[in-house]
Amino acid sequence: ISDFLLSVGWGFFLSKSFNAKMVFLSSVKQHVVRKFLGLTSGHNIPVYLIDPLILGLVEKDIEQIRSSPGGPSPECKYFCAPRDFTTFALLDKTWKHEVGLFRTAEKMGFQWLKIINKDPRLDGMDDLSGMEIPLHYIFKLASHAIHLVVFYERSGNFLWHGPLRLRQHMDRKFVPFRKLHFGRYPGAYEKPELLLVSIDDLKVQIPKNPSRFLEEMSHSRFLECRYREARAFFQLYPDDASPDAVEFRKKAKSLLHLAALTLNNLGVKFWLSSGTCLGWYRQCNVIPHSKDVDLGIFIRDYKADIIPAFQNAGLPLKHKFGKVEDSLELSFQGESDVKLDIFFFYEEDDHIWNGGTQAKSGKKFKYLFPKFTLCWTEFVELKVHVPCETLQYVEANYGPEWKVPVKTWDWKSSPFNVQDNGVWPIDEWDNVIQIY
């Protein structure tokens, strides 16, 4: 009996000790966050919370938090959640890189680390600047760390953060970097509207719509244009700078911006496809001899409002081939002879495809692509999607010689991924072959 009582008592003691330790660690997290917020507010640096774990908890109680007067909280519910980091964001233009901030941080007991890398905004066809900018800061105190992500404005009117890449000499044991939520890849985000709230007795700014921000985060991966490769391409194949080429690129850019505005207003996700995607990947620009703008849309995202929306935007329907169930494609007439082609993509178990139709014969064609995901990029001053697996996507369409310009292109036979797909029944032609 005495052994039993001893074991029960020891178990009770261990349980109490474990709970006390967890309470202590939780209070440490809140204490570190409080000190960090004091540090930034003392230097007038407007940070905002983007920690996905905390925002996920906040999202469930957002109405209650919005209406809360901010009085004392009976428990630490959000900032004491188990995690190694708390992640905040900072807009680069809202602060100066003050030495005083880091001196104060050290006096408060923080250790800190700055991660820098090249500024891609300064790269272009004429220059690869190599200028470095701060991308991430880590502030560590006791057993908790603050990850501060620096966001920069891009010319496509969006926010961008760079990758968290440690240099060879950096201390990789400083914090468990692999557990960081932000930084594995560069990311692109819309500018968030912020809301000042009280969470666990701490005043902090958060995105006004946490669920929207978390959805953005899950699809935020960003790819840079490959300026170095584009410069090498133009050394082999000098760019066409003729008045016609310059004029076409100007019209194509305008058409792409109008198409993006129209589809974004409808909430329809799209990406650069075919020759437009090749132009971005190969030469960071519109291919002047392509004569059109090509976009892709998954058929699951199709909306009947697409055609009237483009017509209302001043782009009349040129042709409509196929149907929603099979091989749908739309073409709209832009300014002069520049047209907008929209191809709808269908998913199978092991591949993705879009269709083509020959109007005079009713012949159907199918273009096969390996499965892909979507990333953001910046193209002609626009935030727009491209396939993340761009090389595989381009090679599927244009083959291994995609780097070599081809000015004579037959959409029925030139693509490497084209195959015959039968013929439309004559009694369906009025529906599946519509030319305006």
Side-chain angles (χ1 to χ4, degrees), residues 151-220:
F151 280 91
Y152 292 85
E153 288 192 0
R154 300 284 293 243
S155 60
N157 196 33
F158 63 95
L159 299 181
W160 166 89
H161 74 77
L164 182 63
R165 292 189 184 136
L166 300 182
R167 300 194 172 187
Q168 202 64 38
H169 66 278
M170 282 190 171
D171 183 4
R172 295 170 186 271
K173 297 179 181 178
F174 185 70
V175 287
F177 288 99
R178 291 184 179 181
K179 295 185 180 181
L180 282 168
H181 302 291
F182 282 82
R184 182 168 298 180
Y185 303 108
Y189 292 79
E190 295 300 307
K191 297 176 184 177
E193 188 177 353
L194 299 178
L195 178 70
L196 181 64
V197 295
S198 179
I199 302 176
D200 295 336
D201 297 338
L202 293 175
K203 292 286 186 182
V204 61
Q205 290 199 101
I206 64 171
K208 190 173 183 179
N209 190 329
S211 59
R212 183 185 300 168
F213 182 86
L214 291 170
E215 173 64 20
E216 270 196 284
M217 178 189 164
S218 64
H219 302 96
S220 63

Side-chain angles (χ1 to χ4, degrees), residues 319-323 326-329 343 354-367 411-412 421-424 429 432-435:
H319 72 239
K320 176 185 176 185
F321 293 155
K323 52 187 176 181
D326 183 10
S327 303
L328 181 65
E329 62 174 287
F343 303 100
N354 73 284
T357 296
Q358 186 178 33
K360 65 181 181 181
S361 67
K363 285 185 178 180
K364 298 169 63 182
F365 300 88
K366 181 183 282 191
Y367 305 85
W411 62 272
K412 303 181 299 301
N421 194 29
V423 181
W424 289 109
W429 281 25
V432 298
I433 303 175
Q434 300 180 20
I435 301 175

Side-chain angles (χ1 to χ4, degrees), residues 231-341:
R231 292 174 73 184
F233 170 80
F234 284 124
Q235 287 178 353
L236 290 174
Y237 309 101
D239 195 16
D240 184 353
S242 66
D244 286 346
V246 172
E247 184 64 16
F248 171 74
R249 280 178 167 154
K250 179 181 176 182
K251 291 176 181 176
K253 175 182 175 180
S254 176
L255 181 58
L256 183 55
H257 276 249
L258 180 57
L261 178 64
T262 304
L263 291 171
N264 288 338
N265 285 341
L266 290 174
V268 174
K269 186 182 294 185
F270 68 95
W271 66 89
L272 304 182
S273 190
S274 302
T276 307
C277 182
L278 175 64
W280 168 78
Y281 189 68
R282 186 175 68 187
Q283 54 212 71
C284 296
N285 209 335
V286 174
I287 299 174
H289 58 262
S290 60
K291 302 306 178 188
D292 56 18
V293 170
D294 302 308
L295 302 180
I297 296 175
F298 286 116
I299 195 64
R300 65 172 180 261
D301 295 323
Y302 171 79
K303 291 184 179 180
D305 295 341
I306 289 176
I307 293 176
F310 276 107
Q311 290 173 328
N312 291 336
L315 300 177
L317 185 63
K318 184 177 176 66
H319 72 239
K320 176 185 176 185
F321 293 155
K323 52 187 176 181
V324 174
E325 301 81 31
D326 183 10
S327 303
L328 181 65
E329 62 174 287
L330 303 173
S331 184
F332 297 91
Q333 187 62 58
E335 185 181 354
S336 301
D337 58 345
V338 184
K339 63 186 178 74
L340 171 69
D341 291 331

Side-chain angles (χ1 to χ4, degrees), residues 32-47:
V32 173
V33 172
R34 188 185 301 276
K35 291 197 75 170
F36 174 75
L37 291 174
L39 169 68
T40 54
S41 65
H43 286 263
N44 298 314
I45 300 173
V47 299

Side-chain angles (χ1 to χ4, degrees), residues 42-60:
H43 286 263
N44 298 314
I45 300 173
V47 299
Y48 59 97
L49 182 72
I50 57 170
D51 191 284
L53 176 62
I54 299 177
L55 288 183
L57 297 172
V58 165
E59 178 191 6
K60 300 173 183 176

